[in-house]
Amino acid sequence: MAIQPIDLQTLYSQLENVSKTVAHQQQGVHLNNAIQQDVKARQMAEEKTAVQKLQNDKNNIEAVKDRKKSFDQNNNSSKGKQEKESSDQEEPVQVAFKDPNLGKYIDISG
């Protein structure tokens, strides 16, 4: 079966559309690869910053622990001073009368 002139005319008119479609498909593949590489680069950058942020948080935690230790030591030393001062100025302790049998016998009869 031979090719008719009308078929050639249709073929040539559609050739431009086919070439545009092929070009878009090829660009789409390149564009898709570029997008994937960009996404991977962003993920790697985020991972790097996340690790650095965690390391910075650990440093901050250590600094807080150090401050807490020094604060506790300061409080302990000031409490010791207060206890020494209060022991020097102790008031006489009043002894209250206690029943020796209190709490030893339980009446369960009512």
Side-chain angles (χ1 to χ4, degrees):
M1 189 156 137
I3 296 178
Q4 301 294 324
I6 190 77
D7 293 336
L8 288 175
Q9 185 179 4
T10 306
L11 179 71
Y12 289 135
S13 66
Q14 293 298 319
L15 190 60
E16 184 180 350
N17 293 338
V18 171
S19 64
K20 285 182 182 179
T21 304
V22 170
H24 288 295
Q25 288 176 348
Q26 289 175 349
Q27 288 177 354
V29 171
H30 293 297
L31 184 61
N32 191 15
N33 289 341
I35 290 172
Q36 287 178 353
Q37 289 176 354
D38 187 40
V39 168
K40 286 181 184 179
R42 286 183 187 170
Q43 288 176 347
M44 301 240 339
E46 287 176 5
E47 289 174 2
K48 288 179 183 178
T49 57
V51 169
Q52 290 175 354
K53 184 176 180 182
L54 180 61
Q55 289 174 351
N56 291 339
D57 289 344
K58 284 184 180 180
N59 293 339
N60 291 339
I61 290 170
E62 293 297 325
V64 170
K65 286 182 182 179
D66 292 340
R67 279 189 242 144
K68 184 178 177 184
K69 285 180 185 177
S70 64
F71 180 74
D72 289 342
Q73 290 172 353
N74 289 340
N75 283 344
N76 288 341
S77 64
S78 64
K79 285 181 184 178
K81 290 177 184 177
Q82 290 174 356
E83 289 175 1
K84 289 178 184 177
E85 291 173 3
S86 64
S87 64
D88 294 340
Q89 301 173 355
E90 286 187 25
E91 297 177 5
V93 179
Q94 296 179 354
V95 179
F97 174 73
K98 289 190 175 182
D99 186 10
N101 293 329
L102 186 64
K104 292 186 179 180
Y105 299 107
I106 301 173
D107 185 16
I108 59 170
S109 63

